[in-house]
């Protein structure tokens, strides 16, 4: 029973910290968005296109309570639901522009609240506090089977350069052996996108805060979109990230009222081609490419009619 001493110490800390967080939450999260609703808004923001079931499992919220929250958010135009094209029983959740503004206000209020909480603490003590928090997080993460935190979010300043880096690193590796000209091709397209991304968007996938993949939609015409820069670090395949990226991009296309979306890939990218087939893209064109590597590549165009 020697462990009882540690158990009591942990419970004592839990009581103290729960009371402290309760006071903070009361100051930061108030009507019309108490803590639980703020957490749901945050979850929809970071897991753009997630389902209610995924939110329930991740946050541990009662199904009925969550259903009422989602209904209220939909009524107040904070979020929208998109029916899955694969499973008519499933709906993906997205924040509206109004919802994104609410999320940004919540973040600002939370940052302000925490800043007020620590303003009278010395820098040395804050460093010790944060280090202790990171230690607690690390210990429990390493000693449990908690799944890595995966999020899909629109790009922020600095992300586009990292997306170019990711393409260069992966495709010039021994696995693919693309030449340096391919990285130039990617960077040129991303630069053009930064100058004008009207009708488009770029998302990055993060695992525990590290960018591991990306996808983008660019406007080809008023009715046609192009899917571009779909990439995923091979170390993170099998986690459903590629699927989430594709669904995020296609959801955006439907939201923007595009009738058609197409993409270009190469025949050797089997994992990506498998996903394109899964989401009903059809191979429509092939052409040789001798610019990106020493051996001949076959570029492929895949198309999807969004009106069906």
């Amino acid at each position: 029973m020697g462990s009882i001493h540690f158990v009591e110490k942990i419970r004592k800390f839990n009581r103290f910290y729960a009371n402290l967080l309760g006071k903070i939450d009361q100051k930061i999260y108030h009507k019309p968005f108490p803590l639980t609703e703020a957490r749901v808004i945050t979850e929809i923001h970071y897991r753009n296109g997630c389902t209610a079931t995924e939110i329930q499992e991740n946050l541990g919220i009662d199904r009925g309570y969550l259903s009422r929250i989602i209904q209220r958010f939909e009524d107040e135009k904070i979020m929208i639901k998109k029916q899955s094209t694969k499973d008519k029983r499933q709906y993906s959740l997205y924040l509206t522009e109004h919802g994104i503004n609410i999320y940004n206000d919540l973040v600002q209020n939370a940052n302000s609240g925490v800043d007020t909480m620590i303003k009278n603490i010395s820098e040395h003590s804050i460093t010790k506090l944060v280090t202790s928090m990171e230690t607690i997080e690390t210990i429990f993460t390493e000693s449990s089977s908690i799944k890595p935190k995966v999020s899909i979010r629109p790009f922020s300043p600095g992300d586009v350069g990292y997306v170019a880096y990711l393409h260069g690193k992966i495709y010039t590796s021994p696995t693919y052996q693309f030449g340096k000209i391919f990285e130039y091709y990617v960077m040129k397209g991303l630069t053009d996108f930064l100058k004008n991304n009207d009708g488009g968007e770029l998302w990055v996938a993060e695992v525990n805060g590290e960018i591991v993949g990306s996808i983008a939609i660019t406007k080809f015409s008023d009715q046609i979109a192009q899917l571009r820069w779909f990439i995923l670090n091979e170390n993170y395949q099998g986690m459903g990230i590629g699927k989430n990226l594709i669904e995020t991009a296609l959801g955006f296309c439907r939201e923007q009222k595009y009738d058609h979306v197409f993409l270009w890939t190469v025949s050797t990218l089997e994992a990506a081609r498998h996903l394109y087939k899964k989401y009903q893209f059809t191979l429509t064109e092939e052409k040789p490419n001798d610019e990106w590597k020493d051996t001949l590549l076959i570029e492929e165009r895949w198309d999807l009619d969004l009106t069906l």
Side-chain angles (χ1 to χ4, degrees), residues 266-279:
V266 293
S267 60
T268 54
L269 300 181
E270 291 297 335
R273 294 173 81 256
H274 173 75
L275 276 176
Y276 302 146
K277 291 177 183 178
K278 179 178 179 180
Y279 285 93

Side-chain angles (χ1 to χ4, degrees), residues 27-281:
K27 293 179 180 178
I28 297 175
Y29 303 107
H30 50 77
K31 292 183 178 181
F33 301 105
L35 177 59
T36 300
E37 294 184 3
R39 292 178 70 201
V40 173
I41 291 173
T42 300
E43 193 75 4
I44 297 174
H45 173 79
Y46 278 110
R47 295 163 61 88
N48 192 39
C50 62
T51 65
T53 300
E54 290 171 336
I55 293 177
Q56 180 194 357
E57 292 175 350
N58 202 39
L59 299 184
I61 301 175
D62 174 78
R63 184 189 298 271
Y65 183 31
L66 179 60
S67 179
R68 292 192 294 272
I69 291 174
I70 290 175
Q71 185 60 58
R72 177 194 165 195
F73 285 176
E74 192 174 20
D75 292 343
E76 296 180 6
K77 312 299 183 185
I78 295 171
M79 51 141 281
I80 57 173
K81 294 193 297 187
K82 297 279 189 177
Q83 190 176 46
S84 170
T85 57
K86 298 297 179 183
D87 186 347
K88 300 301 183 181
R89 300 168 298 177
Q90 291 285 352
Y91 289 85
S92 299
L93 309 181
Y94 302 87
L95 291 182
T96 61
E97 184 175 349
H98 175 50
I100 293 173
N101 290 335
I102 289 173
Y103 166 78
N104 290 333
D105 287 340
L106 288 170
V107 170
Q108 184 175 351
N109 289 340
N111 288 344
S112 177
V114 173
D115 185 65
T116 299
M117 179 185 70
I118 65 175
K119 68 179 181 180
N120 294 323
I121 303 176
S122 69
E123 183 173 346
H124 175 69
S125 294
I126 291 175
T127 300
K128 289 176 61 180
L129 175 67
V130 172
T131 300
S132 298
M133 289 177 168
E134 290 174 343
T135 300
I136 293 171
E137 182 178 1
T138 298
I139 290 172
F140 279 98
T141 300
E142 291 178 348
S143 63
S144 68
S145 58
I146 296 175
K147 294 181 180 180
K149 181 174 178 56
V150 178
S151 63
I152 309 294
R153 61 169 177 80
F155 78 99
S156 299
D159 291 340
V160 172
Y162 196 86
V163 168
Y165 162 78
L166 199 60
H167 278 76
K169 183 177 181 179
I170 291 176
Y171 287 113
T172 58
S173 70
T175 302
Y176 298 106
Q177 299 181 340
F178 282 27
K180 294 179 180 179
I181 191 66
F182 176 73
E183 189 170 355
Y184 165 79
Y185 165 80
V186 173
M187 292 180 68
K188 184 178 184 303
L190 286 168
T191 300
D192 292 341
F193 173 80
L194 277 178
K195 290 173 62 178
N196 180 15
N197 52 35
D198 180 48
E201 183 60 275
L202 183 149
W203 299 266
V204 295
E206 291 184 326
V207 176
N208 295 333
E210 176 189 357
I211 297 177
V212 300
S214 68
I215 199 167
I217 292 295
T218 60
K219 180 179 179 179
F220 187 80
S221 71
D222 288 343
Q223 288 78 39
I224 301 174
Q226 182 175 0
L227 189 153
R228 306 186 70 181
W229 306 306
F230 177 39
I231 192 169
L232 180 61
N233 187 320
E234 290 181 339
N235 294 331
Y236 297 92
Q237 290 182 1
M239 297 173 61
I241 298 174
K243 171 178 172 290
N244 287 340
L245 284 168
I246 290 283
E247 291 181 354
T248 297
L250 295 183
F252 177 84
C253 287
R254 293 185 173 92
E255 183 179 316
Q256 295 295 312
K257 309 299 184 184
Y258 286 119
D259 295 332
H260 194 94
V261 59
F262 73 94
L263 61 92
W264 284 96
T265 186
V266 293
S267 60
T268 54
L269 300 181
E270 291 297 335
R273 294 173 81 256
H274 173 75
L275 276 176
Y276 302 146
K277 291 177 183 178
K278 179 178 179 180
Y279 285 93
Q280 307 302 312
F281 280 86

